[in-house]
Amino acid sequence: MDFLLSGLAACGACVFTNPLEVVKTRMQLQGELKAPGTYQRHYRNVFHAFFTIGKVDGLAALQKGLAPALLYQFLMNGIRLGTYGLAEARGYLHTHEGVLSPVRSAAAGALAGVMGAYLGSPIYMVKTHLQAQAASEIAVGHQYKHEGMFHALTKIGQKHGLVGLWRGAVGGLPRVVIGSSTQLCTFSSTKDLLIQWEIFPPQSWKVALAAAMVSGVAVVTAMTPFDVASTRLYNQPTDTHGKGLMYRGILDALLQTARKEGLFGMYKGIGASYFRLGPHTILSLFFWDQLRVFYNTYAK
């Protein structure tokens, strides 16, 4: 039940934040490996990107990749939050004195994140391809011509085999390790502090909401460079053997981006990342916490 509730919570958040994920993906691919000022900026900021995509590609394009996004969130966060929730419920994250251990919490969050992200990697890759697809006048990054999630998975599998479906999976893991450990550790620690300080009434939904807001800021700050590199790894063109033509791995992607686009290149789309990751973190953790409370109160 922990895994089911976790997956449903993440899907609930995804419906609201997927348009921001589309915008984030486009902004992260814009001007790839080009010096600032040497390329046309189709998307000047988050709000301009929303307007441009809606105007050129149509409003429906803001929900591109929703099917794989929902499936990925259910798989990845179902495993991630479900595993973390079990570890928390069984007391593995607390010391003998009953105090939450930040080290154990971060380690559990990272391990749970790796498990979920690796299994869901093919879906995440397809999601990135679909969200990057755009009309030629506003296209950024490599353009795959997928007709949908199942068509993409079949096409990649037929062309590159089972291994090709997990291209970029290892490179995407640092993003998840840092993001997941930061998110769950700061969420649990902040929630514990708020309860100890008695700022809100016991069992109040405001405790989970405030803790999730703090967690969202921490996640965006720590995760954005790795998120940019991961998006580019998944979206890069490949040769006939399925090998990436632009980057050898996550470290190469980070170094090339920093060298050619500068420090700010590693934080491309951070506004979109905040507007997407912040609300997604808040909504998914809030839904997760409240669903668990509801289940423990009424269903057991």
Side-chain angles (χ1 to χ4, degrees):
M1 185 55 68
D2 269 328
F3 291 91
L4 177 62
L5 294 179
S6 302
L8 290 175
C11 287
C14 181
V15 172
F16 294 98
T17 60
N18 190 62
L20 291 161
E21 179 76 6
V22 173
V23 168
K24 176 185 74 73
T25 298
R26 301 275 183 97
M27 294 186 75
Q28 288 178 340
L29 292 171
Q30 181 171 241
E32 188 172 11
L33 299 186
K34 294 178 181 177
T38 63
Y39 59 87
Q40 183 179 358
R41 292 181 64 195
H42 298 300
Y43 313 108
R44 292 194 293 272
N45 53 54
V46 178
F47 305 105
H48 180 257
F50 263 104
F51 176 78
T52 302
I53 294 170
K55 180 182 177 182
V56 179
D57 285 343
L59 291 176
L62 289 167
Q63 282 289 13
K64 272 193 173 182
L66 180 60
L70 287 171
L71 182 55
Y72 176 76
Q73 289 298 329
F74 188 82
L75 287 173
M76 193 273 195
N77 282 303
I79 294 170
R80 184 175 72 97
L81 296 178
T83 303
Y84 185 87
L86 284 176
E88 186 178 40
R90 296 184 180 181
Y92 298 144
L93 308 185
H94 293 78
T95 63
H96 294 299
E97 293 76 26
V99 179
L100 181 77
S101 168
V103 174
R104 293 184 188 181
S105 180
L111 181 60
V114 166
M115 290 168 57
Y118 191 80
L119 289 174
S121 182
I123 307 299
Y124 189 91
M125 177 170 65
V126 168
K127 176 193 73 68
T128 303
H129 291 179
L130 291 173
Q131 290 176 338
Q133 286 180 190
S136 58
E137 57 264 42
I138 59 168
V140 291
H142 184 72
Q143 294 290 294
Y144 286 91
K145 304 299 180 182
H146 301 315
E147 297 174 8
M149 179 176 67
F150 295 111
H151 174 263
L153 289 169
T154 303
K155 187 177 178 181
I156 295 169
Q158 289 176 343
K159 188 174 181 180
H160 302 301
L162 190 63
V163 175
L165 289 170
W166 264 268
R167 177 177 62 80
V170 175
L173 292 183
R175 163 188 175 273
V176 178
V177 168
I178 291 169
S180 183
S181 59
T182 301
Q183 182 191 61
L184 294 175
C185 180
T186 54
F187 176 73
S188 296
S189 299
T190 305
K191 188 179 169 185
D192 269 13
L193 285 174
L194 291 173
I195 292 171
Q196 289 175 26
W197 294 341
E198 298 180 348
I199 295 176
F200 302 109
Q203 301 300 319
S204 171
W205 57 269
K206 295 177 184 177
V207 174
L209 183 60
M213 291 176 69
V214 173
S215 180
V217 174
V219 170
V220 172
T221 304
M223 189 176 166
T224 295
F226 299 93
D227 194 38
V228 171
S230 179
T231 297
R232 294 180 174 190
L233 280 173
Y234 278 119
N235 195 67
Q236 68 176 322
T238 60
D239 60 20
T240 54
H241 302 291
K243 184 178 179 181
L245 297 175
M246 297 177 70
Y247 311 105
R248 294 189 299 273
I250 185 74
L251 182 60
D252 183 49
L254 286 168
L255 290 174
Q256 284 201 60
T257 300
R259 186 168 63 248
K260 297 181 180 179
E261 301 175 49
L263 181 63
F264 290 111
M266 299 175 71
Y267 280 88
K268 263 186 180 174
I270 190 171
S273 292
Y274 176 76
F275 284 120
R276 182 264 166 189
L277 282 172
H280 185 86
T281 297
I282 292 167
L283 288 170
S284 59
L285 292 179
F286 176 66
F287 288 158
W288 176 55
D289 191 77
Q290 293 303 297
L291 282 170
R292 290 164 74 201
V293 170
F294 181 85
Y295 175 72
N296 290 330
T297 304
Y298 298 105
K300 280 191 173 181

